[in-house]
Amino acid sequence: MTEFIAEMGDKTQLMLVAMTSKYKLKDIILGTGVAILVLNGLAVLAGGLVSEVIPTWLIRLIAAGAFLFFAATTLKGGDEEDEEVKESGKGKIAALSVFSTFFVAELGDKTQLTAITFGANEGMEAALVVWLACSIGLFAADIIGMLVGYLLKNKMPAGVLNAVAFCIFSVFGILTLREGLTLLLGVGNAWIMGITVAAAVVFAIVCLTLYRKKKAA
């Protein structure tokens, strides 16, 4: 229950809403489910060792890059035939993309820290129970995000969900970039705002170029 509450409204839950505009439900469920099992396994059994070995600022910067990449590719959209081809020929790649993005975004997040805390409190004898309980709670919360995304996809006019997805990925990308820079450079560093704004401008130019190419095609 604690893990479920911790995930509600979190960036990864909203990210899954956005992913419904790009991937099939089965790919999202597979990628997310495996990522959750791996992440909580690392948290409970290794006590957050991965987060200690890999600098948090680097994790955040990688996550920011993933968010912005998905935002840019969302602009390409696609018709129903393209989706069918993607489903039949690239299903494994789609699931792997969901896994990778979710894994990086969730690594070191509050839900993983919650699993670490429970693992430390209960000890190795209860590691399996803690791992399963945390995984079920996290997955249950994220299922809500998936269902909301697909409900919006069925109810909204074509293209609207893509726009929503673009906004979600873009906002989290820029915010996560700023968070990573803050961890790297320190709170109050004058370079943080400058680099963040510059990155946002470059990203906006790239997206505008992609949008124009799509319109011209």
Side-chain angles (χ1 to χ4, degrees), residues 19-142:
M19 279 188 172
T20 58
S21 71
K22 293 175 61 65
Y23 300 117
K24 297 298 182 181
L25 182 60
K26 65 177 184 180
D27 295 322
I28 299 177
I29 291 176
L30 177 59
T32 301
V34 174
I36 287 173
L37 291 174
V38 173
L39 282 166
N40 283 326
L42 290 173
V44 174
L45 299 178
L49 180 60
V50 172
S51 297
E52 293 179 6
V53 173
I54 303 177
T56 305
W57 63 266
L58 180 58
I59 295 174
R60 291 293 181 265
L61 292 181
I62 294 174
F67 285 143
L68 294 178
F69 172 77
F70 274 101
T73 55
T74 297
L75 287 176
K76 295 180 180 180
D79 54 28
E80 293 301 322
E81 293 182 1
D82 291 337
E83 289 299 323
E84 292 301 323
V85 172
K86 183 182 294 183
E87 181 184 20
S88 60
K90 298 184 179 179
K92 293 182 179 179
I93 296 178
L96 181 60
S97 297
V98 175
F99 168 84
S100 301
T101 306
F102 187 92
F103 184 92
V104 173
E106 192 71 17
L107 192 61
D109 199 41
K110 64 178 181 294
T111 46
Q112 195 189 27
L113 297 178
T114 300
I116 292 173
T117 301
F118 278 116
N121 289 338
E122 301 299 329
M124 288 301 297
E125 64 275 5
L128 179 60
V129 175
V130 173
W131 174 53
L132 291 176
C134 289
S135 297
I136 292 172
L138 183 57
F139 189 72
D142 289 329

Side-chain angles (χ1 to χ4, degrees), residues 174-198:
I174 297 301
L175 291 179
T176 306
L177 173 64
R178 182 178 180 182
E179 182 182 354
L181 291 173
T182 301
L183 293 171
L184 175 62
L185 302 176
V187 179
N189 191 295
W191 283 96
I192 296 174
M193 182 59 69
I195 295 175
T196 302
V197 172

Side-chain angles (χ1 to χ4, degrees), residues 158-173:
V160 174
L161 185 57
N162 274 352
V164 173
F166 173 77
C167 293
I168 291 175
F169 282 126
S170 299
V171 170
F172 280 125

Side-chain angles (χ1 to χ4, degrees), residues 141-161:
D142 289 329
I143 278 289
I144 294 177
M146 298 179 209
L147 294 178
V148 168
Y150 272 90
L151 178 62
L152 294 176
K153 185 176 183 179
N154 292 329
K155 298 296 183 180
M156 286 184 173
V160 174
L161 185 57

